[in-house]
Amino acid sequence: MKILCAVKRVVDYNVKIRVKTDQSGVETSNVKFSMNPFDEIAVEEAVRCKEAGAATEIVVVSVGPAQAQETLRTALAMGADRAILVQTDVETQPLAVAKVLKALVEKEAPGMVILGKQAIDDDCNQTGQMLAALLGWGQGTFASKVVAGDGKVAVTREIDGGLETVELKLPAVVTADLRLNEPRYASLPNIMKAKKKPLETVTPDALGVDVTPRLTTVKVAEPAKRQAGIKVPDVATLVDKLKNEARVI
Amino acid sequence: MANILVIAEHDGASLKPATLNAVTAASKIGGDIHVLVAGKGAQAAAEAAAKVAGVAKVLLADDAAYEHQLPEDVAPLVVSIAKGGYGHVLAGATSVGKNLLPRVAALLDVAAISDITAVVSADTFERPIYAGNAIATVQSADPVKVVTVRTTAFETAAAEGGSAAVEQVAGAGAAGLSSFVSAELTKSERPELTAARVVVSGGRGMQSGDNFPMLEALADKLGAAVGASRAAVDAGFVPNDYQVGQTGKIVAPELYIAVGISGAIQHLAGMKDSKVIVAINKDEEAPIFQVADYGLVADLFKAVPELTEKLG
């Protein structure tokens, strides 16, 4: 079975982001970017499937600017076989990405698509579900365990009250939660090898997909700041403040 | 004005509180609010929905195919109803809502808007991005707005006072793509984390799951729910559904007590809208102190039992 994995280049999770003063967005120049953490988990899962003999080839895809090539090289260094960059400079919204992925799925015919459950920049948590809908496939979202069998896959999902296991007919779409696995670090030899792996670049137009954003961002603002608090010297003062000042207990 | 369809989250017998938050968000949009209850043997949940203040009509789709509310089966039902003249489809941004609504949106060929924290107008909404470090105002030109609602950002609608009619609807039934196997739910006597008035959370500083009963004792004194940081979950101290943060649950209680939690960006995303934040940490440089109303620099193994005792 071939596995298709989607990865996104996002502002690194450790960066304290700054909102632009004109409220048009978030400052992204001179900021560290890296692979969306949930996507690293998706790639790791695909690589483990291949190591376990359940997958034969891993194709990684990213939709975004030319720099997303670096993100794809990272995935190749982790163990993916080849990469496709769908290059565009417009803001990539989930529905557009899902349509691009659908076009690629029709071309590549994978048995499973693995994505991260959400990107840490837009926090949408939509693309995997949308892709499954467009393809008419089953979806195993927020996966913490994936067991691929013959013609089906069992996915254990993280839900609000605990865990739930569903069985999906293959082909299917799976989105990775943080607890699915611990992604590996790419070793230097693997990073060198990844430079020689094939990376194809296409445009959304060539795939016949319109990626024009459907939602207009009117503005991006800083959230309300919390008032600086005080430090209390001991537990007795804390109890007193909570009872008499904040009146919450 | 077009009608608004709210997808109920329920266990067959009663509604989950997230549905009541979604009804409040719907009331801010304006238009008749209809609630869809899809399930098996869900008559009681439908009757509960009919009593919710502000609800004009309840649609009940009772079919074995909807028993576990699998999105592959429920999404086509929602789509067929939504096409009959609805301007908005809403649900709480819970694990059920997040799983279902993007699938509905894609089938309708419209954008989905996740986790809204405010309704600006019928087509414009506020939602947090970058782990809550920025608030985006987004506008949709799509004919149907498919929206999930951050439950802590909207009050719960009154569960009594309404008298909506319950109407039976039929759907296409099972899509045959997926099936439910099992569920493993965490059992707890304490209030539900996302709805609790007080939350006591532990982090890596707790050192071991064996030390969590100390927090539970404090939580019991306060009638609080117990939460955790990702570090505490990953270390196996507590189950993952305790996790508060960008990738866990979003809480906004009146009082949040963070014990042995450093306060990483991803954790703050899940709790910084709490009314009062208390931090107990021995590292006075910990970022949590920058958002805490009351900070106590102390060894939690001494401070927590003392706090529990003083509250008695």
Side-chain angles (χ1 to χ4, degrees), chain B residues 155-250:
Chain B
E155 308 260 300
T156 51
E160 299 289 335
S163 56
V166 178
E167 190 181 295
Q168 304 276 343
V169 291
L177 296 169
S178 57
S179 55
F180 172 86
V181 177
S182 62
E184 204 180 303
L185 302 179
T186 306
K187 288 187 182 64
S188 171
E189 301 287 308
R190 294 190 187 82
E192 203 184 325
L193 190 53
T194 50
R197 202 186 67 83
V198 181
V199 173
V200 179
S201 277
R204 197 195 304 273
M206 295 302 294
Q207 291 180 8
S208 139
D210 298 338
N211 295 324
F212 262 76
M214 190 169 81
L215 288 192
E216 286 161 9
L218 174 60
D220 289 342
K221 276 270 170 69
L222 292 164
V226 177
S229 69
R230 185 183 166 201
V233 172
D234 282 352
F237 300 172
V238 288
N240 58 274
D241 51 313
Y242 279 54
Q243 188 183 326
V244 171
Q246 184 182 19
T247 61
K249 291 186 177 122
I250 312 287

Side-chain angles (χ1 to χ4, degrees), chain A residues 99 124 139 141 165 214 245, chain B residues 72 99 109 114 137 182 294-295:
Chain A
K99 286 181 177 176
C124 276
Q139 64 189 50
T141 53
T165 303
R214 297 285 279 271
E245 197 176 272
Chain B
E72 294 83 352
N99 195 23
D109 193 29
S114 297
T137 305
S182 62
Y294 302 106

